[in-house]
Amino acid sequence: MKPAAVLAIDGGGSKMDAVVLGADGGLLGSARVPPVGSDGRDPDYLERLEAAVNAVFDAVGLDPSSGPIARVGVFCVAGADLSADERRILRWLRTRGWTDDTLLRNDTFAVLRAGTDRTWGVGVVCGFGTNCAAVAPDGRTFRLPALGWIAGDWGGGSDLGEKAVWHTMRAHDGRGKRTALATAVPAHFGLGGPRQVMEALYSGQIGVQRVATLAPVVFRVAAEGDPVARSLVERQADEVAAMAGAAIKKLRMSKLDVDVVLGGGIFRNGYRPFFERIEDGVRSIAPSANVSVLTVPPVVGAALLGLDRLDAPSRTKERVRRALTHDALAAGRRSGR
């Protein structure tokens, strides 16, 4: 069998997708595996990435140890943030010999490319945490370190959940404003009241990772008119607009009709004022900007980055968009040869 065109990996916080594409953009095989609750800075995460590659090669019916399987490998993974991270992960990838050419990017770049037919624009990811990356029409790039509060970050399910608990406790003991979160947060965890939430977090009965699951609760309570929850949602919207706006200004795209793509679990909500606030913030910097929420799997972006590398024609890229759907990836696909 001739080498495939592209091996594409999207490794985010909630799943890891791997696909192999033919030269015509046809889907030869796909695999989806759960991550290990970490990112590319963790050896366990890289082992999970290798498991995803092995799974997709198995779907195609090839042995990953038999030499390069694809001309280009695109690996868009969480944790590829600092230059030292990139060098270490790239060295690890090259020792595997999976592809002739290896391209490593942060997973935010996959979200960006998946959400636009252009090769440039701005991508903002907001899931467990938050991140932003951008590419200018001339190829210059911008991205944030995405290392949490030490890098000036705020937002995502982790921060929203922590603030929801914080306001819950202060409403309970009288230090803060009354809020419906004081009822909604305990109910979310199946507990009787705020103090039980505090004790469960203190004892480890509720793991810290589960705090991020409060984000949809915050949006629901905000939509019901609660001022405290609304303030959290507004802060999140302002952070998203600030990230996108910084990228636009840094790359001097304020006068362009730049595409701003929003991807991640925080954007999977129906609270329209949240998105209106983001749009207003972005357009205060770039009046012609197009703000959209990603509706396709981010691995589409990783695949398109590979096809961009190969100078593939538009019809090949269109075929990829048709083939790589959420349903196809969830079910798994195998080559029909």
Side-chain angles (χ1 to χ4, degrees), residues 158-172 175 181-182 185-186 189 194 197-198 201 206 210-212 214 218 232:
S158 178
D159 286 336
L160 282 171
E162 286 182 5
K163 279 297 184 183
V165 173
W166 189 84
H167 282 292
T168 290
M169 293 309 305
R170 292 175 71 87
H172 173 67
R175 286 178 293 171
L181 291 170
V185 168
F189 292 121
V197 173
M198 177 193 70
L201 285 166
I206 296 176
R210 287 186 63 196
V211 172
L214 286 168
V218 174
L232 294 179

Side-chain angles (χ1 to χ4, degrees), residues 30-100:
S30 70
R32 171 172 288 178
V33 301
V36 292
S38 58
D39 58 33
R41 290 182 286 268
D42 188 331
D44 289 341
Y45 185 92
L46 296 180
E47 289 181 8
R48 181 60 61 176
L49 191 156
E50 186 163 20
V53 173
N54 289 337
V56 76
F57 283 168
D58 181 66
V60 180
L62 294 173
D63 179 0
S65 65
S66 63
I69 303 300
R71 293 172 59 193
V72 175
V74 180
F75 301 84
C76 296
V77 299
D81 297 311
L82 302 183
S83 297
D85 297 323
E86 289 185 339
R87 289 193 295 270
R88 177 180 50 78
I89 298 171
L90 197 54
R91 284 196 301 268
W92 181 88
L93 288 170
R94 286 173 174 162
T95 62
R96 267 54 190 171
W98 292 325
T99 59
D100 294 317

